[in-house]
Amino acid sequence: MSEAHHRSKQPDQVRSQLLRVAIELIVSEGYGSLTLDKVARRAGVSKGGLQYHFSSKAVLLRGICESLKEMFEPMFNEALAQEPESPKRATRAYIRVCFAEIDPLCTKAMFLLTLALPEFAREQGEWMQNLIDQDTARAPDLAQMLLLCRFAADGLWLAETSGVLRFDEATRTALQGRLLAFTDSL
């Protein structure tokens, strides 16, 4: 019998491994380099094993996007739950998540896939537009200023994710504190 017949089958672990390898490939070699063959080879899984979980490149990409959303959204919801009820609550939570320590590989993949996949960018935009609409409904006079605060947090996230800038922990903490204080002052 081959080694494959003796290995314990753990579909959730294999699926997670395939997603991780695909994310690593996108970040290290670019979106265009992603193929099912490369993912299967790097993951040490047969192509059929990969296709059991992801029948095509499109399905694999959808899985990657879903896994990235599943990482980010609970972080945001947890940060939101920790904020006191106020019209500034969602913006404060958003700022905290932008400054949170997140797996840099995943943040870079999120950035690259937003540029490469219009559908993923649209979904992220719809999620963000929903937050903006909620702010506008709660506090129409503050909505634009709250949006500017989010853009400032996005700028830091983008600068670090793209590798343009790096900040030490003390600077990051100070910037987050100032941005939250500014948000509170509105």
Side-chain angles (χ1 to χ4, degrees):
M1 268 192 203
S2 74
E3 186 180 316
H5 293 287
H6 293 294
R7 276 185 283 177
S8 67
K9 309 274 191 233
Q10 298 173 336
D12 291 341
Q13 283 184 337
V14 171
R15 186 178 194 283
S16 293
Q17 177 187 3
L18 291 167
L19 290 170
R20 183 68 180 190
V21 166
I23 287 170
E24 289 170 357
L25 187 60
I26 289 169
V27 170
S28 67
E29 296 184 24
Y31 168 77
S33 70
L34 183 71
T35 67
L36 295 182
D37 287 331
K38 279 186 182 179
V39 172
R41 192 170 41 255
R42 288 189 182 192
V45 174
S46 69
K47 190 167 179 184
L50 181 144
Q51 289 178 316
Y52 171 81
H53 296 280
F54 305 103
S55 59
S56 67
K57 181 177 175 178
V59 174
L60 176 59
L61 286 168
R62 170 61 33 212
I64 294 168
C65 293
E66 289 300 318
S67 72
L68 293 171
K69 285 174 27 183
E70 288 169 5
M71 175 193 71
F72 177 78
E73 288 178 8
M75 289 178 67
F76 175 78
N77 291 334
E78 183 179 324
L80 187 64
Q82 294 173 4
E83 291 293 331
E85 190 59 47
S86 91
K88 302 166 188 172
R89 180 178 183 219
T91 298
R92 287 181 53 83
Y94 187 86
I95 291 167
R96 288 187 186 283
V97 171
C98 284
F99 279 83
E101 291 295 324
I102 302 173
D103 180 350
L105 193 70
C106 290
T107 57
K108 193 161 209 166
M110 185 177 282
F111 170 67
L112 293 171
L113 290 172
T114 299
L115 295 175
L117 301 174
E119 181 181 328
F120 187 53
R122 182 186 49 74
E123 289 172 7
Q124 287 184 286
E126 287 172 357
W127 181 84
M128 293 178 83
Q129 187 62 54
N130 183 44
L131 292 178
I132 293 165
D133 293 346
Q134 289 175 29
D135 284 351
T136 302
R138 283 189 212 107
D141 55 324
L142 293 178
Q144 287 187 345
M145 291 302 290
L146 293 173
L147 182 58
L148 287 173
C149 292
R150 285 195 191 140
F151 286 157
D154 283 340
L156 175 120
W157 181 86
L158 180 60
E160 288 191 326
T161 299
S162 66
V164 170
L165 294 172
R166 291 281 180 241
F167 301 102
D168 61 46
E169 196 54 41
T171 302
R172 289 179 97 255
T173 299
L175 288 169
Q176 179 185 19
R178 287 178 185 258
L179 189 51
L180 288 170
F182 179 76
T183 302
D184 290 340
S185 74
L186 299 174

